Amino acid sequence: SYGVDLGGRRIIKKQKILQAIKDNIGRSKIIYFPNGVYNINNTLEWKNSSGKWGAYLSFQGQSRANTIFKLRNNTFTSTGAPKAVIKTADDATEEGNEAFRNSIQDITVNTGTGNTGAIGIDWLANNRGILENVTIQSGDGQGLRGLSLMRVWQGPCLVKNVSISGFNYGIDVNESISSVTFEHITLSNQKVIGLRNQDNVVTVRNLKSTNNVPVIQNLDNRNGYGRRGLVTVLDGNFTGTSGASTKTAIVNESGLYVRNLVTSGYRAAIRHY
């Protein structure tokens, strides 16, 4: 009821998507997006009609390759005030531990060109949330983060079958509670770090990276509380491209467990501080 079919192409205006969110947030509903390009010029925030953040909502695309959320070029240009194409939240606030059943599946998010302050998806989920079969890509490699998981109480949640191309940081994880599990992740062409973690518990199975920057950076606690972050990598394949020969694939300052890691093109596989 939110779309108009024009010659076989599904066109849904951003205002209609926002209305669909308002109508269904907090009701354990699924918003289904048929194949098509959905042109976006502002963040799709998970808020109700009163402007209050909500949870218990899913975005379900018809297919990962052909259900595309496309950010208008030169729209999110401020790196000091970055904005996401899609942003989920807690059941009452922008961050918290009741971001239940927030799921996104079978879509592509394309941040276009000239969007240096763009975040592909700023995702908050607790307990039963999943981000699955999703591609996040920058049209020109620019952008701050592909997938942002930096708000308080992130997780437990699952990120599965996700590919991220471009951005300064492919995946950025922060805060010490609770945990994020990744499986079948592909990272490429990041400018600073493929996956950065600070303080959280991150488990990654089958991580593939093609980059000339470090694939993983696991930071020490920024407030001096000791090494609280933990990263576990099972079955990694990291290919260093031109320029990677002077860098290390994993830069670790906290807890780390690695098994079955293959690297090429990097100076070293792991550097522990």
Side-chain angles (χ1 to χ4, degrees):
S1 61
Y2 296 100
V4 179
D5 197 343
L6 301 177
R9 183 181 180 187
R10 182 72 66 166
I11 307 294
I12 299 181
K13 294 182 179 180
K14 180 180 73 69
Q15 290 82 0
K16 293 294 185 180
I17 299 175
L18 292 175
Q19 189 61 52
I21 294 171
K22 293 175 183 178
D23 290 347
N24 293 284
I25 197 79
R27 300 176 59 199
S28 297
K29 296 293 185 178
I30 298 171
I31 301 177
Y32 177 78
F33 294 90
N35 286 340
V37 178
Y38 303 90
N39 294 308
I40 305 299
N41 61 12
N42 208 345
T43 305
L44 299 178
E45 296 179 327
W46 288 21
K47 292 181 177 180
N48 63 21
S49 57
S50 300
K52 180 180 177 181
W53 291 100
Y56 296 92
L57 186 68
S58 296
F59 275 12
Q60 175 65 59
Q62 182 177 351
S63 70
R64 176 178 181 172
N66 297 306
T67 304
I68 302 170
F69 291 80
K70 173 69 165 57
L71 180 63
R72 188 173 64 187
N73 297 341
N74 305 307
T75 302
F76 294 173
T77 58
S78 173
T79 56
K83 300 179 69 174
V85 177
I86 300 172
K87 185 173 183 178
T88 72
D90 177 61
D91 195 33
T93 63
E94 190 172 348
E95 56 186 20
N97 62 353
E98 295 185 5
F100 302 139
R101 301 185 184 181
N102 285 346
S103 296
I104 301 173
Q105 295 173 283
D106 298 293
I107 68 168
T108 288
V109 172
N110 187 319
T111 59
T113 63
N115 289 307
T116 54
I119 297 169
I121 299 176
D122 189 348
W123 190 52
L124 180 66
N126 307 125
N127 298 9
R128 294 183 64 181
I130 185 169
L131 189 78
E132 183 178 23
N133 300 332
V134 170
T135 296
I136 305 173
Q137 59 192 24
S138 168
D140 59 0
Q142 298 187 71
L144 190 59
R145 303 179 186 97
L147 176 60
S148 181
L149 308 170
M150 301 187 68
R151 282 174 282 157
V152 179
W153 306 101
Q154 180 64 54
C157 57
L158 175 63
V159 180
K160 183 176 182 179
N161 295 333
V162 171
S163 175
I164 302 173
S165 177
F167 305 95
N168 291 350
Y169 299 93
I171 300 171
D172 214 352
V173 186
N174 205 338
E175 299 299 337
S176 58
I177 302 173
S178 296
S179 66
V180 184
T181 301
F182 297 90
E183 186 174 33
H184 307 310
I185 306 298
T186 301
L187 301 173
S188 61
N189 302 315
Q190 276 74 56
K191 294 181 180 298
V192 182
I193 299 290
L195 188 160
R196 180 171 67 171
N197 177 58
Q198 178 136 25
D199 296 343
N200 214 312
V201 177
V202 171
T203 302
V204 191
R205 177 175 175 266
N206 188 24
L207 172 60
K208 297 180 181 179
S209 172
T210 303
N211 265 301
N212 65 1
V213 299
V215 181
I216 295 174
Q217 182 183 38
N218 189 28
L219 295 169
D220 195 1
N221 182 268
R222 65 189 182 281
N223 294 318
Y225 294 132
R227 302 187 176 196
R228 302 200 301 186
L230 173 63
V231 172
T232 298
V233 181
L234 307 176
D235 306 323
N237 193 318
F238 302 165
T239 301
T241 57
S242 178
S245 61
T246 62
K247 299 164 186 172
T248 304
I250 298 177
V251 180
N252 182 59
E253 301 176 7
S254 196
L256 178 69
Y257 177 85
V258 179
R259 188 180 74 191
N260 296 339
L261 173 64
V262 176
T263 67
S264 62
Y266 284 96
R267 179 181 61 183
I270 300 171
R271 182 174 182 179
H272 180 73
Y273 290 88

